[in-house]
């Protein structure tokens, strides 16, 4: 793979930070090293001494004074070593990528995505993506004035393969294989944005693009937001080392690194659980969302059969609903729905051209109780009937 042809001029021009490299060299050195090089503050001046975190399973994670000093200090831009080691083993066990891969920690997968786009997308480039797609992706790409492919062959394909946001759609294995073969044929990179991988309701889980990647043309973003905490901001970019290295150079010049504190917190949790414990936790999360999905489908069958259409999602936390007889849901939701005290997302915000009429709405089944979902759909049904 010739990765140079994919890089933007900005990304290709990035150089390693000498100070960041010294910091990382010092952290790998023996304690006998006397360093006057670093610009790190003295942790003895910080007000925090220690911490403990009680887990729902009865365990406690402890940050003693020594660990707390480390948690409050600068760390390597690609992530703390013990977290990376744990995650690389998880990726190998889950995906077993056939080509060599590297990984870095990002401040949520959104940071990883934005840095990947900056690395690969020039203003005016053609980009292939799901339509409709995640509004955060559109927000990142639209300032670059990217286009849907025309006469110029695209270099990049972006997709959410499992439980897509907003549609809840999941790609079949056969479709992934066909898409990957097209990527090989036209020499494209695939950005596999998979935050709902761990929210697949049926096993075995679908094979990932990463698991099919014989060439080294997959950049995969993973997230802990849906399964451990959305506020801890913990994501990962996995892919060919030359490309992951470019993402890390951007991190060096921007956020410097994801919070050492949250990385250590998550790392301690994962090491205490082990991979089996982590996957047991995932099973519990899946069971919760499966019940929520079932409750929403049941209420949709009860209230919306005559006024809307939908497909039950096999992953994620969203139901994508087409309203019958409503050409565009924007005004309906933003004005009239509030009067009925029910709120959904109008589908237009997920469209490449958000001003185009869109008859869809997105409903999330993550936070509301089954009773609230049922009442919301009763109100939505009444709203649709009045609007027609």
């Amino acid at each position: 793979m010739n990765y140079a042809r994919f890089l933007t001029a900005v990304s290709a021009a990035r150089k390693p930070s000498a100070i960041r490299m010294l910091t990382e060299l010092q952290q790998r050195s023996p304690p006998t090293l006397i360093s006057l090089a670093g610009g790190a503050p003295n942790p003895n001046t910080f007000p925090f001494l220690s911490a403990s975190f009680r887990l729902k399973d009865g365990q406690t994670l402890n940050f003693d004074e020594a660990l707390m000093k480390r948690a409050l200090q600068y760390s390597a831009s690609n992530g703390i070593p013990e977290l990376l080691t744990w995650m690389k083993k998880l990726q190998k066990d889950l995906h077993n990528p056939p080509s060599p891969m590297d990984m870095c920690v990002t401040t949520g997968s959104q940071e990883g995505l934005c840095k990947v786009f900056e690395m690969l997308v020039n203003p005016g480039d053609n980009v292939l993506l799901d339509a409709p797609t995640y509004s955060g992706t559109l927000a990142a790409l639209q300032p670059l004035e990217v286009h849907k492919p025309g006469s110029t062959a695209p270099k990049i394909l972006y997709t959410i393969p499992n439980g897509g946001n907003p549609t809840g759609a999941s790609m079949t294995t056969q479709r992934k294989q066909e898409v990957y073969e097209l990527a090989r044929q036209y020499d494209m990179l695939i950005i596999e944005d998979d935050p709902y991988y761990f929210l697949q309701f049926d096993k075995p889980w679908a094979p990932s693009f990463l698991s099919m990647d014989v060439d080294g043309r997959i950049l995969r973003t993973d997230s802990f937001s849906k399964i451990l905490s959305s506020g801890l901001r913990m994501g990962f970019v996995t892919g060919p080392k030359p490309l992951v290295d470019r993402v890390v150079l951007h991190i060096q010049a921007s956020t410097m690194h994801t919070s050492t504190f949250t990385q250590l917190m998550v790392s301690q949790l994962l090491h205490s659980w082990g991979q089996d414990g982590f996957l047991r936790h995932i099973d519990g999360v899946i069971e919760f969302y499966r019940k929520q999905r079932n409750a929403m489908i049941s209420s949709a069958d009860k209230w919306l059969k005559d006024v809307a259409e939908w497909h039950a999602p096999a992953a994620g936390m969203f139901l994508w609903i087409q309203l019958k007889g409503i050409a565009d849901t924007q005004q309906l939701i933003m004005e009239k729905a509030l009067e009925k005290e029910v709120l959904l997302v109008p589908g237009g915000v997920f469209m490449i051209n958000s001003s185009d009429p869109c008859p869809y709405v997105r409903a999330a089944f993550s936070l509301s109780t089954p009773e609230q979902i049922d009442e919301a759909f009763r109100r939505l049904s009444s709203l649709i009937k009045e609007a027609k």
Side-chain angles (χ1 to χ4, degrees):
M1 290 288 293
N2 171 24
Y3 295 113
R5 87 169 196 89
F6 293 102
L7 298 179
T8 61
V10 170
S11 184
R14 292 196 183 279
K15 298 285 190 287
S17 160
I19 296 294
R20 289 266 77 207
M21 290 171 72
L22 279 172
T23 299
E24 291 165 23
L25 177 67
Q26 181 180 332
Q27 289 171 348
R28 295 196 301 268
S29 300
T32 50
L33 175 80
I34 299 173
S35 173
L36 305 180
N42 192 310
N44 292 323
T45 65
F46 299 156
F48 307 99
L49 191 64
S50 62
S52 65
F53 302 93
R54 289 173 54 217
L55 304 182
K56 291 176 179 176
D57 64 6
Q59 291 186 72
T60 302
L61 302 179
N62 291 306
F63 278 34
D64 61 18
E65 290 185 38
L67 191 61
M68 181 61 95
K69 283 182 179 177
R70 187 183 163 208
L72 299 175
Q73 193 54 279
Y74 293 128
S75 58
S77 291
N78 63 333
I80 62 171
E82 59 266 53
L83 178 59
L84 282 172
T85 299
W86 201 98
M87 282 302 301
K88 283 178 180 178
K89 183 177 187 308
L90 181 70
Q91 292 292 62
K92 190 170 190 320
D93 292 345
L94 290 177
H95 306 286
N96 196 23
S99 62
M101 64 163 192
D102 201 5
M103 174 185 281
C104 68
V105 181
T106 56
T107 306
S109 62
Q110 183 71 22
E111 185 199 20
L113 277 176
C114 285
K115 285 178 164 50
V116 166
F117 290 143
E118 190 263 9
M119 171 176 68
L120 301 175
V121 181
N122 284 297
D125 273 1
N126 291 323
V127 176
L128 282 170
L129 41 79
D130 304 327
T133 196
Y134 170 48
S135 55
T137 296
L138 294 175
L141 289 175
Q142 279 165 344
L144 295 169
E145 297 183 339
V146 300
H147 306 290
K148 289 184 288 184
S151 56
T152 310
K155 296 185 298 181
I156 296 167
L157 184 153
Y158 166 87
T159 186
I160 305 173
N162 294 299
N165 181 0
T167 64
S170 298
M171 256 195 228
T172 63
T173 302
Q174 181 184 346
R175 185 171 174 81
K176 282 181 188 165
Q177 289 166 340
E178 290 169 356
V179 168
Y180 187 80
E181 285 308 311
L182 284 170
R184 297 187 80 186
Q185 184 180 339
Y186 293 98
D187 195 19
M188 290 186 290
L189 298 179
I190 297 176
I191 301 170
E192 181 177 32
D193 182 17
D194 212 357
Y196 306 102
Y197 176 79
F198 292 110
L199 293 187
Q200 295 182 72
F201 302 132
D202 301 311
K203 290 186 179 179
W205 290 338
S208 63
F209 278 111
L210 188 67
S211 72
M212 305 172 184
D213 188 19
V214 292
D215 295 339
R217 62 176 71 253
I218 304 298
L219 270 167
R220 178 181 171 84
T221 58
D222 284 281
S223 174
F224 278 171
S225 291
K226 314 300 185 287
I227 52 175
L228 293 185
S229 159
S230 48
L232 285 180
R233 308 308 301 132
M234 190 72 65
F236 303 87
V237 173
T238 306
K241 181 173 170 51
L243 296 179
V244 173
D245 284 349
R246 291 277 130 196
V247 172
V248 174
L249 289 181
H250 193 171
I251 293 171
Q252 287 182 359
S254 55
T255 52
M256 287 177 52
H257 59 79
T258 296
S259 163
T260 317
F261 189 98
T262 56
Q263 286 189 74
L264 277 169
M265 186 176 167
V266 168
S267 180
Q268 283 225 3
L269 174 68
L270 296 176
H271 280 92
S272 70
W273 273 351
Q275 196 176 110
D276 288 345
F278 171 74
L279 293 174
R280 277 196 302 274
H281 168 73
I282 297 300
D283 285 342
V285 176
I286 290 170
E287 184 57 29
F288 170 80
Y289 283 109
R290 184 190 290 113
K291 287 179 178 174
Q292 292 288 104
R293 187 268 316 258
N294 292 346
M296 180 165 278
I297 295 298
S298 175
S299 291
D301 286 338
K302 178 179 172 184
W303 295 109
L304 302 177
K305 260 193 168 165
D306 297 334
V307 293
E309 293 178 350
W310 61 88
H311 295 281
M317 50 179 64
F318 304 115
L319 187 65
W320 186 237
I321 306 170
Q322 182 177 10
L323 307 189
K324 294 178 182 178
I326 306 289
D328 185 31
T329 56
Q330 178 71 22
Q331 185 180 9
L332 182 77
I333 295 301
M334 301 310 290
E335 296 176 17
K336 296 179 180 175
L338 287 175
E339 295 172 12
K340 291 279 186 188
E341 296 188 313
V342 59
L343 193 60
L344 301 94
V345 183
V349 304
F350 305 104
M351 298 299 174
I352 293 165
N353 185 351
S354 61
S355 62
D356 287 346
C358 178
Y360 289 88
V361 293
R362 190 197 74 178
F365 49 81
S366 52
L367 288 175
S368 302
T369 65
E371 294 75 24
Q372 288 173 324
I373 290 170
D374 194 68
E375 175 59 19
F377 278 1
R378 186 194 69 78
R379 295 175 187 179
L380 177 63
S381 174
S382 171
L383 178 69
I384 299 167
K385 287 170 182 174
E386 287 178 16
K388 289 170 79 171

